[in-house]
Amino acid sequence: MTISLERTEWIEMAKSGDLTLDQLFDQLERMPVPEGYKVEIVEGTVFMSPQRDVHWDTIFEITTALREQFGGKKRLVKSDVRIDFPGEKNGFCPDVAKLAENAKKENGRWRYQDVEFVAEVISKGTAANDYGPKLTAYATAEVPVYVIADPYLGRCRVFTQPKDGDYENDVTVSYGEPIDLTDTVLGMTLSTEDFPRD
């Protein structure tokens, strides 16, 4: 297994080609992961990235808006919680995930089939995952809405209408402009007015 620490070198672990996703996470739980780092597995590679202020503030803005939209159903909005997505060893921890009202767990984890919205906030070291393997996995899982917030460029990419492993609709919205999601399962407009820039 290979582990990528954002802005640091790659670390080699024991041979892991035959390990399941659960076994990989079990190995990670026994390792000393630096405090404040997010850990996820993308196509069998472990990525650890630090949580920065800009990153967290954006997550907080999105999470707050979703919780306000969906009232007291706080259990429906998750952040950095492992959800296994289609593809080869994809154990993602989305920055923000909104679950369907009737969402249920299997084997102690939320099912990707119940995810209605995902937001990822770009980190320089893991941006390729958000626009590459994660985009493909979310489309394949038919997540209705996928938003990528980029504090470096000050804009969001909004992907909707998943079909055949891709999204048919791809819109770019500058920070400060609202994201119109009224025609989606969310039925809301997401403000980017207070999204911080890096």
Side-chain angles (χ1 to χ4, degrees):
M1 169 188 340
T2 304
I3 298 178
S4 171
L5 288 161
E6 185 176 324
R7 291 185 284 264
T8 62
E9 70 279 357
W10 290 81
I11 298 175
E12 290 293 328
M13 286 181 64
K15 298 285 183 206
S16 62
D18 296 331
L19 296 179
T20 67
L21 200 52
D22 287 335
Q23 290 169 327
L24 291 173
F25 274 105
D26 286 344
Q27 281 190 3
L28 285 170
E29 287 176 8
R30 292 191 290 272
M31 290 180 60
V33 175
E35 188 173 332
Y37 274 71
K38 172 182 169 175
V39 179
E40 59 187 349
I41 299 175
V42 180
E43 295 183 330
T45 299
V46 176
F47 288 88
M48 295 183 188
S49 53
Q51 184 83 280
R52 299 176 348 265
D53 282 343
V54 168
H55 198 93
W56 166 242
D57 290 342
T58 307
I59 292 168
F60 182 78
E61 290 295 325
I62 296 169
T63 302
T64 300
L66 290 171
R67 286 190 168 181
E68 287 174 1
Q69 174 71 14
F70 296 99
K73 300 173 183 138
K74 294 180 181 177
R75 73 172 200 91
L76 301 180
V77 181
K78 303 297 176 188
S79 179
D80 293 337
V81 173
R82 176 184 165 192
I83 301 172
D84 296 345
F85 283 90
E88 181 66 26
K89 295 182 182 172
N90 283 327
F92 302 162
C93 299
D95 289 328
V96 181
K98 194 273 182 191
L99 304 172
E101 191 163 336
N102 61 349
K104 53 189 167 201
K105 290 185 176 182
E106 281 182 1
N107 302 318
R109 285 185 298 282
W110 296 106
R111 301 170 344 126
Y112 74 82
Q113 295 91 335
D114 295 328
V115 177
E116 296 181 333
F117 169 88
V118 168
E120 298 284 8
V121 183
I122 292 291
S123 293
K124 286 183 179 178
T126 59
N129 287 339
D130 297 326
Y131 284 109
K134 285 187 174 184
L135 176 64
T136 300
Y138 294 145
T140 301
E142 297 186 351
V143 173
V145 181
Y146 175 36
V147 173
I148 300 175
D150 187 333
Y152 305 102
L153 298 177
R155 66 183 185 199
C156 293
R157 293 273 298 277
V158 183
F159 299 92
T160 58
Q161 301 173 350
K163 184 177 179 185
D164 300 328
D166 200 0
Y167 283 97
E168 292 188 332
N169 195 13
D170 173 4
V171 176
T172 300
V173 178
S174 296
Y175 278 17
E177 298 297 320
I179 299 174
D180 183 0
L181 301 173
T182 54
D183 288 339
T184 71
V185 67
L186 297 180
M188 65 181 286
T189 298
L190 178 63
S191 173
T192 65
E193 190 71 34
D194 294 324
F195 282 19
R197 293 188 64 138
D198 200 357

